[in-house]
Amino acid sequence: METGLTFTSNTIVSEKNIAKTMGSGDLEVFATPSMAALMENAAMNAVAHELPIGSTTVGSLLEISHNRPSGLGEAVSATATLEAVEGRKLTFSVVAKDSKGVIGEGKHIRFIVDCAKFMSKLG
């Protein structure tokens, strides 16, 4: 797998992804957990087409800052770029933006796993 792979995930700030609904705050602004999930989704999708059949990636570490609020109706995007590959470990830079600019950024680590083996650990 080569570095530089990228993907952008998009959403609209709505009642379902605001801090008040998510329980991470009491205001009607885009929730930090929602931004984190959007960033993870972008990273997952950036490499999905490069994985062997029966494999996926799972999140392991997310170090992000959420620097500015986004209100109801605002379009938000998160872009993940694959920065490093060390065996099964994938390191991404992640940036979230709305119409006014960057709202959050950071680093995300995912690991390539075999789906069946991973799920067998639940039992």
Side-chain angles (χ1 to χ4, degrees), residues 67-110:
N67 304 323
R68 198 171 48 70
S70 302
L72 287 166
E74 183 72 50
V76 176
S77 65
T79 301
T81 303
L82 182 60
E83 298 286 332
V85 179
E86 303 169 55
R88 296 184 314 113
K89 180 182 175 183
L90 308 175
T91 302
F92 298 85
S93 64
V94 288
V95 178
K97 297 179 180 179
D98 67 12
S99 66
K100 297 173 192 79
V102 174
I103 64 167
E105 57 195 330
K107 177 177 90 167
H108 180 40
I109 294 175
R110 298 184 74 78

Side-chain angles (χ1 to χ4, degrees), residues 16-38:
K16 70 178 184 173
N17 59 19
I18 58 174
K20 188 173 183 177
T21 301
M22 298 292 295
S24 63
D26 56 8
L27 298 175
E28 293 183 342
V29 296
F30 194 51
T32 301
S34 298
M35 184 184 74
L38 196 64

Side-chain angles (χ1 to χ4, degrees), residues 5-17:
L5 295 173
T6 188
F7 190 87
T8 299
S9 295
N10 300 286
T11 194
I12 301 293
V13 180
S14 67
E15 291 291 330
K16 70 178 184 173
N17 59 19

